[in-house]
């Protein structure tokens, strides 16, 4: 390790994105301020009975933090290393950044002549009332309970919406229920339900064409898309979801402001055309929102697209407003996030 200490310091300084979030970089460099000891990669069997035997001495096993790290690269060598390595992101917990992944791992790779992963994405902990979860304290949250009760999409949404990657975050049941009820149920779920229902009632179940692409909501979408994609690229997923759900709220307000149910009663041809554009914009807004939400809400996004008669695969290249839904038959009314009785 001593042989490569200065190389690692220089590499980290020359590659400011190697460790994310950036404040973790200081943690690694702080460790490297003092001379580091060489790493003994073996343990005698008399002290440690389990482990991978050293090929050159059967009385010794490999030190776990050497063996475990090697598995990252040996696992990719089984297949096609050119395809799977180097990794874009190596995701780890903050407690194993130093020294294992921030010191041992890059030096091992460099010594072997392998490229380093582009970024060590270092995440924080989920806490309960400010304390680390532990069985002894009895404050462990069982994710399977939430997945069974509310669905995996809802649980995934809460985790990604609440936590800033790299920071610790408190898990709070009451806040989870609020997110489920307001964001997912009232905003997204209700938007799909009312959109499908209105298209069935006012347009014979066929998504109408958008005749005017100059609506302010379309411009708001472009702004939302740009910000959300930038947030995804920067690993600030919670901010991306904030922008997307702000847009979803705007679509709900758009419906209230234009009152399609009132226009549907009119016999004026201009009102009929306006009604079709409003419902077309609403349906298209849902399609695009489902695309952006698909990494976080994969099952719900597919249900939204199915309800809109959209059989296309989610594509980041198809995020522009258009008339791709025009002529599609909408499905039956779908309840994405059913209301739960208070317990």
């Amino acid at each position: 390790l001593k042989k490569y200490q200065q190389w690692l310091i220089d590499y980290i300084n020359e590659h400011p994105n190697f460790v994310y979030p950036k404040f973790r970089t200081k943690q690694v460099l702080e460790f490297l301020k003092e001379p580091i000891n060489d790493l003994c990669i073996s343990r005698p069997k008399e002290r440690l009975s389990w482990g991978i035997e050293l090929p050159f001495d059967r009385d010794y096993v490999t030190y776990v933090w050497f063996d475990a790290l090697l598995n990252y690269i040996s696992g990719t060598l089984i297949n096609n290393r050119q395809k799977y390595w180097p990794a874009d992101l190596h995701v780890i917990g903050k407690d194993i950044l130093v020294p294992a992944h921030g010191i041992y791992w890059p030096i091992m790779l460099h010594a072997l002549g392998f490229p380093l992963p582009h970024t060590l994405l270092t995440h924080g902990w989920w806490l309960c009332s400010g304390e680390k979860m532990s069985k002894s304290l009895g404050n462990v949250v069982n994710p399977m309970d939430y997945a069974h009760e509310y669905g995996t999409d809802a649980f995934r949404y809460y985790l990604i919406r609440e936590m800033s990657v790299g920071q610790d975050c408190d898990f709070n049941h009451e806040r989870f229920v609020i997110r489920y009820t307001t964001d997912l149920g009232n905003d997204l779920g209700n938007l799909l339900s009312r959109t499908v229902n209105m298209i069935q009632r006012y347009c014979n179940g066929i998504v109408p064409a958008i005749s005017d692409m100059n609506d302010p909501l379309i411009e708001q979408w472009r702004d939302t898309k740009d910000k959300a994609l930038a947030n995804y690229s920067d690993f600030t997923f919670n901010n991306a979801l904030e922008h997307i759900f702000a847009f979803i709220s705007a679509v709900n307000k758009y419906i209230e402001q234009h009152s399609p149910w009132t226009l549907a009663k009119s016999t004026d041809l201009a009102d009929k055309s306006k009604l079709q554009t409003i419902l077309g914009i609403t349906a298209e807004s849902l399609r695009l929102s489902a695309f952006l939400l698909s990494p976080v809400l994969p099952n719900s996004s597919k249900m939204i697209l199915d309800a809109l008669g959209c059989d296309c695969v989610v594509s980041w290249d198809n995020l522009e407003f258009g008339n791709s839904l025009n002529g599609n038959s909408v499905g039956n009314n779908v309840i994405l996030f059913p209301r739960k009785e208070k317990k």
Side-chain angles (χ1 to χ4, degrees):
L1 292 180
K2 292 175 184 175
K3 178 181 175 182
Y4 298 103
Q5 182 168 358
Q6 189 56 49
W7 165 83
L8 182 56
I9 294 170
D10 294 340
Y11 183 89
I12 292 172
N13 287 326
E14 292 166 5
H15 298 80
N17 294 322
F18 179 58
V19 180
Y20 182 91
K22 290 184 179 179
F23 71 85
R24 296 284 178 203
T25 302
K26 294 180 181 178
Q27 184 181 348
V28 179
L29 290 174
E30 192 68 28
F31 188 91
L32 290 167
K33 280 185 177 180
E34 300 296 329
I36 54 177
N37 296 320
D38 289 338
L39 177 66
C40 178
I41 69 164
S42 66
R43 296 294 184 270
K45 277 189 177 178
E46 60 189 38
R47 281 177 44 200
L48 195 66
S49 59
W50 59 271
I52 305 299
E53 283 185 355
L54 290 179
F56 48 83
D57 194 330
R58 300 190 64 179
D59 291 329
Y60 287 81
V61 295
T62 309
Y63 171 51
V64 64
W65 273 119
F66 189 79
D67 169 44
L69 298 174
L70 282 177
N71 274 291
Y72 295 131
I73 195 71
S74 61
T76 63
L77 287 171
I78 292 171
N79 295 290
N80 181 350
R81 181 173 67 84
Q82 300 303 319
K83 180 178 179 181
Y84 295 108
W85 195 266
D88 291 319
L89 289 179
H90 190 149
V91 184
I92 57 172
K94 67 175 187 178
D95 51 327
I96 53 174
L97 173 62
V98 176
H101 290 84
I103 309 295
Y104 301 162
W105 182 223
I107 287 179
M108 287 166 60
L109 285 170
H110 181 65
L112 286 167
F114 284 99
L116 274 58
H118 183 263
T119 299
L120 296 175
L121 181 62
T122 310
H123 63 77
W125 289 337
W126 278 100
L127 309 174
C128 261
S129 301
E131 292 187 289
K132 187 177 178 181
M133 294 186 195
S134 73
K135 291 181 179 178
S136 59
L137 292 175
N139 63 351
V140 175
V141 173
N142 186 345
M144 300 308 295
D145 292 341
Y146 280 85
H148 177 74
E149 178 74 15
Y150 297 94
T152 54
D153 275 15
F155 188 65
R156 188 199 319 259
Y157 174 76
Y158 174 79
L159 296 181
I160 298 177
R161 180 70 177 83
E162 290 292 311
M163 176 180 270
S164 297
V165 173
Q167 305 287 346
D168 293 342
C169 187
D170 238 30
F171 190 96
N172 182 282
H173 175 75
E174 289 72 22
R175 188 152 180 81
F176 172 90
V177 172
I178 290 172
R179 288 287 184 201
Y180 179 89
T181 304
T182 57
D183 296 8
L184 299 178
N186 295 347
D187 289 350
L188 181 59
N190 187 47
L191 177 59
L192 175 64
S193 180
R194 69 198 307 198
T195 300
V196 169
N197 184 49
M198 288 189 294
I199 292 175
Q200 286 174 338
R201 291 178 60 189
Y202 307 143
C203 302
N204 297 317
I206 305 299
V207 179
I210 304 170
S211 58
D212 181 8
M213 289 290 181
N214 295 313
D215 194 283
L217 190 64
I218 297 177
E219 187 58 38
Q220 184 172 348
W221 161 254
R222 295 189 183 109
D223 182 60
T224 299
K225 176 198 68 174
D226 292 343
K227 288 179 178 176
L229 291 179
N231 289 144
Y232 278 158
S233 296
D234 292 339
F235 317 124
T236 50
F237 309 118
N238 55 328
N239 292 338
L241 292 178
E242 184 177 350
H243 291 306
I244 298 168
F245 273 84
F247 176 73
I248 290 169
S249 295
V251 180
N252 278 309
K253 291 178 182 176
Y254 174 83
I255 293 174
E256 295 297 331
Q257 290 169 352
H258 290 86
S259 304
W261 44 87
T262 301
L263 294 172
K265 297 175 183 177
S266 174
T267 58
D268 188 276
L269 291 178
D271 286 341
K272 292 294 184 184
S273 177
K274 186 177 180 182
L275 171 65
Q276 291 180 341
T277 291
I278 290 168
L279 294 181
I281 287 176
T282 302
E284 181 71 346
S285 296
L286 260 173
R287 178 186 76 86
L288 294 167
S289 297
F291 273 25
L292 269 192
L293 288 171
S294 59
V296 182
L297 302 174
N299 301 317
S300 303
S301 295
K302 186 178 185 306
M303 291 171 69
I304 292 171
L305 295 174
D306 287 345
L308 296 173
C310 181
D311 58 0
C312 59
V313 176
V314 170
S315 168
W316 300 111
D317 299 323
N318 192 12
L319 291 174
E320 297 299 331
F321 246 88
N323 272 308
S324 64
L325 294 176
N326 178 221
N328 286 9
S329 296
V330 297
N332 296 323
N333 199 0
V334 177
I335 301 176
L336 288 180
F337 303 99
R339 291 185 178 275
K340 302 292 181 180
E341 292 183 10
K342 289 185 178 181
K343 295 183 180 180

